[in-house]
Amino acid sequence: MTTGPALPLILNFTLPLLLGNLLQQTYSLVDAAIVGQFLGIDALAGVGASSSVIFLILGFCNGCCCGFGIPVAQRFGAHDYADMRRYVANALRLAVGISVTVAIVTSIWCADILHAMRTPDNIFRDAYLYLLVTFIGIPCTFFYNLLSNIIRALGDSRTPFWFLLFSTVLNIALDLFCILTLGWGVLGAAVATVVSQGVSAALCFAYMHRHFEILRSTRDERRFRSRHARTLLAIGLPMGLQFSITAIGSIMLQSANNALGSACVAAFTAGVRIKMFVISPFESLGMAMATYTGHNYGAVKPERIWQGIKVAAGLMLGYALFAFVVLMAGSDLLARLFIDPSQSEILADTRLFLHVASYFLPVLGLLCILRYTIQGAGYTNLAMLSGVSEMIARTAVSLWAVPALGYIAVCFGDPTAWIAADLFLVPAFVYVYGRLKRMTPPEKPIGGR
């Protein structure tokens, strides 16, 4: 990532990431589509009632994994491979402690979380089962994402995609088997997803151990080092908290929507699933920029980081226009993947949600590019504060706009949060880039800011 034209480098790195993200979103789409078509609207609402809580917890775990990959990318860019392997070894140790602890705590508090979110009684049981199994499977999700981020930090975004492709096919097969053959209902959808991610993590680890010679470490390199652990936590925890803080606002928004009834919950669930699939390219482009920035930060080439920003912005705007056309023209067709055509009111609410989001896609694209670039340079605390901006905006919409205006305010919840985040991120990037332009090869170039 440190030499050659930025456009082909970023584009070639982004494409496998995009395919991988689309496959991950396929997990959610398949679960929701099969549940909605075969188990009914209440079951679909049960799956969706806890989606923001899942984003809160898994977002924290995935954010930590992304953060743990940044020192690896920086050391790889600096060609310090021995220190890179020390970071990998310590990241794996930290992953065990964090993922198991989070799984235990969240499983214990699962029912209380749903009660606090005012989950309707008619969908509470399905929501509880889906959420509980997801929490129990957190270590599977954590390790897959950590191993994938380590591989991507080495400049390889293709290998994780192939394991995720296998896992997606397995997830679809298990969904159908658990729901239609075993009759496990919503529980089967959750079990299928967790098992699929666990298999993907195991295969990814076995492949890394066998084929990535650069990661084969000595006993000394595998030893626990408090300095490396502190650096990983200083970068990873703020990134995890940034996802979680963002999700707190989403929980507030979903809680306000839950109070509107199961029909609004079902429309919101379908709309969010479709939206997350459509916006995956923005997230993929941002993740590519994190690795691109990390490599060039380690190589002390700030001018290439700005070049990458301009290339990423051009790609983002082109896709935003394409996605706008798709959502405006095809929202009804997409909604019918989850909702029976006879449910006209729910279909109309889903269409409204998607149309509102489509107008603000460039705002979200800019958010992803700037946030991940700032993270890739190691300034994870600033990225976390952008999550605070999102949380405040969603909370304000939930507390004041939704009670006054109803479902239409729910539709504007995410776009309002994206605008708030950009108002913080633009000046934050100006500050970070000013620091990057003045940087010289430091004695210890890695560390949280």
Side-chain angles (χ1 to χ4, degrees), residues 43-364:
L44 177 62
V47 170
S50 57
S51 60
S52 58
V53 180
I54 293 173
F55 177 53
L56 169 70
I57 304 302
L58 297 189
F60 172 78
C61 296
N62 294 344
C64 287
C65 294
C66 290
F68 289 171
I70 287 174
V72 178
Q74 291 179 350
R75 292 292 81 204
F76 181 78
H79 303 291
D80 188 352
Y81 302 132
D83 210 40
M84 178 196 73
R85 289 188 288 269
R86 295 186 186 102
Y87 278 110
V88 170
N90 282 274
L92 292 172
R93 284 189 171 89
L94 292 174
V96 174
I98 293 173
S99 64
V100 172
T101 300
V102 171
I104 292 173
V105 172
T106 53
S107 297
I108 292 173
W109 289 93
C110 183
D112 295 311
I113 292 170
L114 289 173
H115 282 303
M117 291 181 64
R118 298 182 288 179
T119 304
D121 292 338
N122 62 314
I123 62 174
F124 185 90
R125 181 179 179 276
D126 284 339
Y128 175 77
L129 291 174
Y130 192 84
L131 191 60
L132 180 63
V133 173
T134 301
F135 285 163
I136 292 172
I138 282 174
C140 296
T141 304
F142 199 107
F143 271 92
Y144 170 73
N145 281 283
L146 175 61
L147 296 173
S148 297
N149 276 286
I150 289 172
I151 294 175
R152 292 181 188 119
L154 306 182
D156 179 5
S157 58
R158 290 183 173 85
T159 298
F161 164 75
W162 293 114
F163 292 115
L164 190 56
L165 175 61
F166 170 81
S167 185
T168 300
V169 174
L170 178 62
N171 183 71
I172 295 171
L174 289 176
D175 258 328
L176 295 171
F177 178 72
C178 292
I179 293 175
L180 301 183
T181 303
L182 299 180
W184 286 0
V186 169
L187 174 65
V191 169
T193 299
V194 168
V195 171
S196 300
Q197 290 181 336
V199 170
S200 185
L203 291 174
C204 199
F205 181 81
Y207 186 88
M208 283 174 60
H209 180 73
R210 186 170 182 178
H211 294 281
F212 283 80
E213 293 186 9
I214 197 172
L215 294 176
R216 293 180 183 175
S217 55
T218 64
R219 177 175 295 181
D220 178 71
E221 290 170 346
R222 291 191 296 270
R223 183 168 57 87
F224 178 80
R225 286 175 167 80
S226 59
R227 179 176 71 84
H228 290 75
R230 286 195 301 270
T231 298
L232 288 164
L233 292 174
I235 295 178
L237 288 181
M239 287 187 68
L241 290 173
Q242 173 240 301
F243 279 93
S244 294
I245 289 169
T246 301
I248 291 172
S250 297
I251 289 175
M252 295 290 294
L253 187 62
Q254 184 160 23
S255 179
N257 186 64
N258 287 350
L260 300 177
S262 58
C264 288
V265 176
F268 183 77
T269 300
V272 167
R273 291 294 196 277
I274 296 167
K275 182 199 74 175
M276 294 302 293
F277 191 88
V278 170
I279 67 175
S280 289
F282 297 135
E283 188 77 10
S284 303
L285 188 59
M287 293 170 65
M289 282 303 300
T291 300
Y292 178 88
T293 302
H295 284 189
N296 285 286
Y297 177 90
V300 195
K301 294 183 176 181
E303 71 285 349
R304 286 185 59 80
I305 296 175
W306 176 241
Q307 183 184 4
I309 288 282
K310 293 187 289 185
V311 166
L315 293 172
M316 178 271 290
L317 290 173
Y319 175 75
L321 178 60
F322 168 77
F324 175 81
V325 174
V326 170
L327 288 180
M328 294 301 292
S331 57
D332 273 341
L333 180 62
L334 293 171
R336 287 174 186 170
L337 294 173
F338 310 91
I339 300 165
D340 189 90
S342 63
Q343 303 285 342
S344 58
E345 181 181 353
I346 298 176
L347 284 171
D349 284 344
T350 304
R351 180 174 62 249
L352 176 63
F353 181 91
L354 294 173
H355 284 181
V356 170
S358 66
Y359 285 102
F360 295 90
L361 291 177
V363 179
L364 175 62

